[in-house]
Amino acid sequence: LELAHLDTAFVPEWIACELAVERECLVPNLPLIRELKRLRAGGVSLRVVSDTSLSCDALSQLITATCPPGLQWDAIHTSADLQLTKRDGTIFTAVSDAAGVPLSKMAHLGDDLVADCTMPQRCGMTAILRPRSRLHVAMLRANAVLARGRSQWHHWRHRQAQKRAKGGGSSTAGDTLVPDVLGPVFAEYCR
């Protein structure tokens, strides 16, 4: 919000928009959910650890809205709340402390080689890398290409309208902030 020079009083509305966009995009990983339910039924404590700009409460809302009912966890830990990340491993010690369980007795499962496998292992945890299916990755890439194309199309139309209104002119680096960086969340916010 600061980059767009918007008052931080609008944070709740902005987060609501981000959640609305995410709800439209996310698809539950059903095999993973089945495995997590099986582990939970066997007495394993489950904690969500996420590098995200969302708070624990907001991420909980998103998980509840996206996943089938019945998935339960003991706690959610986010980089937004803790100001720590999986990418540098600092969040894992905080999760270990909160759980009261040594890192050596914890396992971390995820789909990112660095954040979900390399860093937990460096912290002394067991790490299980579970990459997304090729179809899922292909769909994400196709969606990104389409979103980028739409963004460029709208940006081009906006520049053309500005040129007509001003009788020409050039664009600045700031002109691309909204379509390229804030993208669909900003669009939802505007709606």
Side-chain angles (χ1 to χ4, degrees), residues 4 7-8 21 54 66 93 96 184:
D7 191 324
T8 55
V21 169
L54 297 173
T66 305
T93 301
S96 171

Side-chain angles (χ1 to χ4, degrees), residues 57-58 73 78 99 102 114 143 161 165 168:
D57 291 338
W73 53 87
T78 70
V114 173
N143 187 41

Side-chain angles (χ1 to χ4, degrees), residues 64-84:
T64 301
T66 305
C67 293
L71 181 61
Q72 296 178 344
W73 53 87
D74 294 290
I76 296 178
H77 309 274
T78 70
S79 52
D81 286 340
L82 298 173
Q83 296 297 296
L84 303 169

